[in-house]
């Protein structure tokens, strides 16, 4: 857990809600209708229901406003319907060069559980950060958490932080979303260590390749890391996942692998077809919980493979780790 937001990693989490949510808005559940009159609030935001596009946009800007030292919102590009696509950058303030973990959730708009998971993931990071700042006194990673580091909020085109992204704004009309994502990733590929693309459904952790039966150069490694993730996932709620490649069609993970990103996976979340794309809301929480375990397992492995010598050194203080774990658990 402690590796999540260390100096070594930062996260880019793309929740492209503009993609079709407006065309197929989830029906508000009874509790949403109930709350209709009450003001929107980050504190009461529910992570166990599906939200409409506007609500997810609002969530993204509120969470990056409230935790602006760690979470910033950036424009990736526009959808063909001229909806902005944002990604969240999650990072501890530090001048160290960091490797990047990419995760996109909801490239396919009908897969509602995918953006729900990304929101869950960001929420969990927030908890982690909270417990970290109150317990380890900022010593763990050599940065002082309490200093008032002024991270720019990057509203559309307004921040200099975003200058390198503006090329995405006026993409060609055909599949601008894919182009925005791919040119963005391509421009940073040297720094991207892990590429996770979250979809539903099928309960699969897919490795490259999908476009050929050929195996990727690090196939065994990918399978081993993926299988460990599936085991961690199953340990949570007993859900069975299959791990492997399936030469049925090419996808972004293939492309990510081919441009040199060492760890590239597609997650197909619950279920195996009973409900399909419209996974019942009472499965959001367990699905997110178990997926979190799988993603953390991958991140741990990626970390250890990338920085083998650091992995041991990182466990500097058992007390710190324990207090982190304890506070994390108590906050859940
Ligand atoms: C990063 O470097 C700049 C310029 O040296 C400095 O002003 C800033 O405080 C540093 N930030 C952190 C988090 O160390
Ligand atoms: C936390 O940091 C402050 C300021 O550097 C220091 O005075 C204090 O002793 C530290 N506390 C712990 C538990 O390390
Ligand atoms: C699969 O591997 C074979 C043998 O190395 C190679 O000739 C072929 O081009 C590869 N196919 C694809 C689609 O990469
Ligand atoms: C591969 O994909 C096909 C078609 O979608 C499916 O029938 C098959 O079960 C998949 N195999 C694995 C191992 O997931
Ligand atoms: Zn999909």
């Amino acid at each position: 857990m402690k590796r999540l937001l260390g100096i070594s990693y930062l996260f880019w989490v793309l929740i492209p809600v503009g993609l079709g949510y407006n065309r197929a808005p989830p029906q508000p559940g009874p509790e949403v209708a109930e709350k209709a009159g009450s003001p929107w609030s980050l504190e009461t935001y529910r992570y166990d229901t599906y939200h409409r596009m506007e609500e997810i946009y609002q969530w993204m800007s509120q969470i990056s406003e409230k935790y602006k030292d760690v979470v910033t919102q950036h424009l990736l590009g526009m959808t063909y319907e001229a909806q902005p696509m944002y990604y969240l950058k999650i990072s501890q303030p530090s001048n160290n060069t960091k490797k990047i973990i990419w995760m996109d959730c909801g490239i396919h708009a009908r897969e509602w559980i995918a953006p729900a998971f990304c929101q869950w993931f960001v929420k969990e990071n927030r908890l982690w950060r909270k417990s970290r700042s109150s317990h380890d006194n900022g010593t763990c990673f050599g940065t002082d958490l309490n200093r008032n580091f002024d991270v720019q909020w990057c509203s559309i085109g307004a921040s200099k932080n975003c200058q390198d992204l503006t090329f995405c704004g006026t993409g060609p009309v055909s599949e601008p979303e894919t182009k925005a994502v791919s040119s963005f990733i391509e421009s940073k590929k040297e720094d991207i260590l892990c590429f996770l693309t979250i979809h539903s459904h099928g309960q699969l952790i897919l490795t490259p390749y999908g476009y050929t039966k050929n195996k990727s150069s690090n196939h065994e490694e990918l399978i081993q890391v993926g299988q460990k993730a599936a085991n961690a996932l199953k340990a949570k709620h007993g859900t069975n996942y299959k791990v492997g490649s399936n030469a049925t069609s090419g996808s972004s993970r293939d492309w990510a692998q081919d441009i040199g990103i060492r760890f590239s996976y597609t997650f197909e979340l619950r279920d195996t077809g009973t409900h399909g794309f419209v996974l019942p809301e009472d499965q959001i929480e367990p699905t997110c919980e178990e997926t979190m375990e799988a993603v953390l397992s991958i991140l741990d492995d990626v970390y250890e493979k990338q920085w083998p010598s650091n992995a041991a050194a990182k466990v500097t203080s058992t007390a710190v780790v324990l207090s982190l774990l304890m506070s994390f658990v108590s906050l859940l």
Side-chain angles (χ1 to χ4, degrees):
M1 209 68 68
K2 70 189 190 50
R3 290 172 191 146
L4 270 188
L5 288 176
I7 49 169
S8 317
Y9 279 169
L10 58 83
F11 291 92
W12 287 345
V13 179
L14 173 66
I15 310 179
V17 279
L19 284 179
Y21 254 74
N22 47 346
R23 286 194 302 270
Q27 292 304 306
E31 62 288 316
V32 176
E34 225 170 71
K35 285 195 315 192
S38 58
W40 195 96
S41 144
L42 191 60
E43 278 64 41
T44 57
Y45 193 81
R46 294 192 53 164
Y47 293 90
D48 59 353
T49 63
Y50 296 117
H51 292 274
R52 279 172 292 183
M53 180 177 71
E54 297 76 14
E55 292 177 311
I56 302 179
Y57 275 134
Q58 203 163 5
W59 173 85
M60 277 197 278
S61 55
Q62 297 266 322
I63 204 154
S64 47
E65 192 168 28
K66 178 145 191 201
Y67 301 97
K68 59 171 177 270
D69 52 343
V70 175
V71 182
T72 48
Q73 183 184 26
H74 303 262
L75 180 70
L76 179 74
M78 306 297 284
T79 69
Y80 67 93
E81 290 180 331
Q83 298 281 353
M85 271 197 297
Y86 294 109
Y87 69 99
L88 296 176
K89 180 174 157 186
I90 309 171
S91 178
Q92 293 291 353
S94 153
N95 284 334
N96 295 42
T97 309
K98 300 184 189 190
K99 290 291 181 186
I100 297 159
I101 309 289
W102 168 272
M103 186 158 71
D104 62 72
C105 297
I107 285 282
H108 297 148
R110 64 183 172 173
E111 301 165 5
W112 295 347
I113 187 65
F117 173 67
C118 263
Q119 292 176 85
W120 183 280
F121 182 86
V122 173
K123 166 187 79 116
E124 295 292 277
N125 272 273
R126 179 171 64 78
L127 289 180
W128 181 89
R129 175 246 172 190
K130 204 162 148 189
S131 57
R132 176 175 181 260
S133 59
S134 57
H135 289 281
D136 81 351
N137 211 10
T139 55
C140 192
F141 300 103
T143 55
D144 182 356
L145 277 182
N146 294 326
R147 69 185 291 158
N148 192 11
F149 185 70
D150 180 27
V151 177
Q152 297 264 358
W153 166 313
C154 184
S155 57
I156 306 175
S159 163
K160 58 186 175 188
N161 289 353
C162 271
Q163 276 179 359
D164 57 338
L165 299 179
T166 50
F167 71 92
C168 296
T170 54
V173 180
S174 88
E175 300 187 275
E177 301 88 1
T178 317
K179 283 204 169 63
V181 173
S182 59
S183 50
F184 181 57
I185 299 273
E186 184 106 35
S187 71
K188 307 278 185 185
K189 65 183 178 189
E190 273 79 24
D191 294 322
I192 299 176
L193 204 51
C194 181
F195 181 93
L196 303 174
T197 178
I198 313 292
H199 296 251
S200 76
H201 54 88
Q203 295 177 199
L204 302 164
I205 297 175
L206 294 167
T207 60
Y209 292 104
Y211 69 81
T212 168
K213 286 203 162 73
N214 287 7
K215 292 198 157 76
S216 58
S217 56
N218 61 335
H219 179 76
E220 302 308 326
E221 175 181 63
L222 287 169
I223 294 292
Q224 181 227 326
V225 168
Q227 192 56 57
K228 197 168 149 195
N231 295 345
L233 187 153
K234 184 173 181 177
K236 190 76 188 176
H237 295 298
T239 310
N240 284 307
Y241 266 58
K242 283 196 259 180
V243 179
S245 56
N246 194 345
T248 47
S249 65
S251 72
S252 61
R253 80 174 170 287
D254 292 342
W255 167 83
Q257 177 87 12
D258 278 343
I259 63 167
I261 298 172
R262 184 171 165 193
F263 297 94
S264 175
Y265 292 97
T266 300
F267 274 71
E268 296 285 354
L269 304 185
R270 289 192 196 185
D271 54 21
T272 53
T274 310
H275 301 285
F277 297 115
V278 190
L279 190 69
E281 289 197 321
D282 63 6
Q283 288 196 46
I284 296 176
E285 191 169 336
T287 301
C288 290
E289 284 171 349
E290 68 193 11
T291 308
M292 193 76 188
E293 295 300 321
V295 169
L296 291 179
S297 170
I298 289 176
L299 295 180
D300 270 0
D301 280 352
V302 166
Y303 182 90
E304 273 161 25
K305 284 164 187 288
Q306 178 71 17
W307 294 285
S309 55
N310 275 12
K314 275 286 168 190
V315 188
T316 47
S317 158
T318 313
V320 167
V321 175
L322 269 181
S323 71
L324 278 174
L325 285 173
M326 295 305 286
S327 51
F328 187 73
V329 168
S330 68
L331 282 164
L332 285 178

